[in-house]
């Protein structure tokens, strides 16, 4: 199986490069980061039509679309599902238990919620971060509306990145230690379960 990942931004690619060897050990994969949500959504129709043609000759090809949900999870999911259907491809949601070619997944509300969902991973990546730095945060990381700013505040409190943000570096460093079994982010666990269903 070969999996093509269509991503909203380079930080998602940095995270997946660390996660995919563990989550898809028997597959080959390639990441295609975009310059934000608008760029991804603008390019998706053409890319999906190309994959629809490729699937005629490579039936073991699968496509995963990962995008931040931001403020409206339902609207974002519907938009992705419509683009998949318009390309005459079958998503996991549409397949209802039948074989599918495309997996659409959302990071709720932002990718950084996945990192906040695993404080042990953050502390392993950045030893200055202490459990007290998470005090007062919502226990549901997917409910934190300013996830990347919150993540940066925690890292700064631990003595890291005081001079500026580095989203790609955070994504790589923390993802190296993420454990789906202990992660409090439901959208991260949902993403992992979706990848498992690709097999």
């Amino acid at each position: 199986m070969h999996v093509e990942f269509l991503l909203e931004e380079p930080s998602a690619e940095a995270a997946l490069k660390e996660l995919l060897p563990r989550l898809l050990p028997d597959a080959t994969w390639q990441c295609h980061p975009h310059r934000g949500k608008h760029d991804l959504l603008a390019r998706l129709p053409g890319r999906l039509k190309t994959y629809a043609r490729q699937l005629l000759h490579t039936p073991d090809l699968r496509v995963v679309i990962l995008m931040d949900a931001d403020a409206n999870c339902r609207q974002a999911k519907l938009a992705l599902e419509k683009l998949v259907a318009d390309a005459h491809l079958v998503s996991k949601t549409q397949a209802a238990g039948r074989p599918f070619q495309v997996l659409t997944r959302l990071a709720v509300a932002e990718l950084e919620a996945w990192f906040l969902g695993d404080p042990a991973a953050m502390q392993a990546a950045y030893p200055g971060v202490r459990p007290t730095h998470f005090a007062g945060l919502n226990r549901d990381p997917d409910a934190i509306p300013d996830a990347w700013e919150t993540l940066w505040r925690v890292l700064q409190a631990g003595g890291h990145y005081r001079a500026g943000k580095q989203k790609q570096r955070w994504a790589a460093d923390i993802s190296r230690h993420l454990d789906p079994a202990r992660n409090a982010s439901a959208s991260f666990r949902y993403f992992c379960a979706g990848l498992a269903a690709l097999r």
Side-chain angles (χ1 to χ4, degrees), residues 1-90:
M1 181 175 66
H2 177 74
V3 188
E4 295 276 309
F5 286 86
L6 304 179
L7 309 169
E8 180 177 324
E9 57 188 344
S11 59
E13 179 183 31
L16 292 187
K17 281 183 174 179
E18 298 297 331
L19 288 165
L20 292 178
R22 288 182 281 146
L23 298 177
L24 290 175
D26 300 324
T28 60
W29 44 268
Q30 185 169 9
C31 293
H32 302 278
H34 292 74
R35 292 175 295 181
K37 180 177 292 182
H38 294 298
D39 182 39
L40 172 63
L41 290 174
R43 293 173 183 266
L44 266 179
R47 283 190 175 273
L48 291 173
K49 286 178 184 174
T50 299
Y51 289 131
R53 289 192 294 271
Q54 290 178 349
L55 275 159
L56 296 174
H57 308 288
T58 53
D60 66 338
L61 171 66
R62 298 292 179 270
V63 178
V64 176
I65 306 169
L66 175 63
M67 185 174 81
D68 285 356
D70 294 330
N72 193 325
C73 183
R74 182 177 172 79
Q75 185 178 2
K77 182 74 171 178
L78 287 174
L80 292 181
E81 291 293 326
K82 183 178 186 313
L83 289 171
V84 172
D86 288 348
H88 305 291
L89 293 167
V90 179

Side-chain angles (χ1 to χ4, degrees), residues 103-137:
L103 178 70
T104 61
R105 284 294 181 262
L106 298 171
V108 180
E110 299 174 330
L111 182 71
E112 287 76 12
W114 293 6
F115 311 144
L116 289 167
D118 191 343
M122 289 184 59
Q123 292 172 74
Y126 298 107
V129 174
R130 300 279 184 262
T132 54
H133 297 145
F134 298 92
L137 296 185

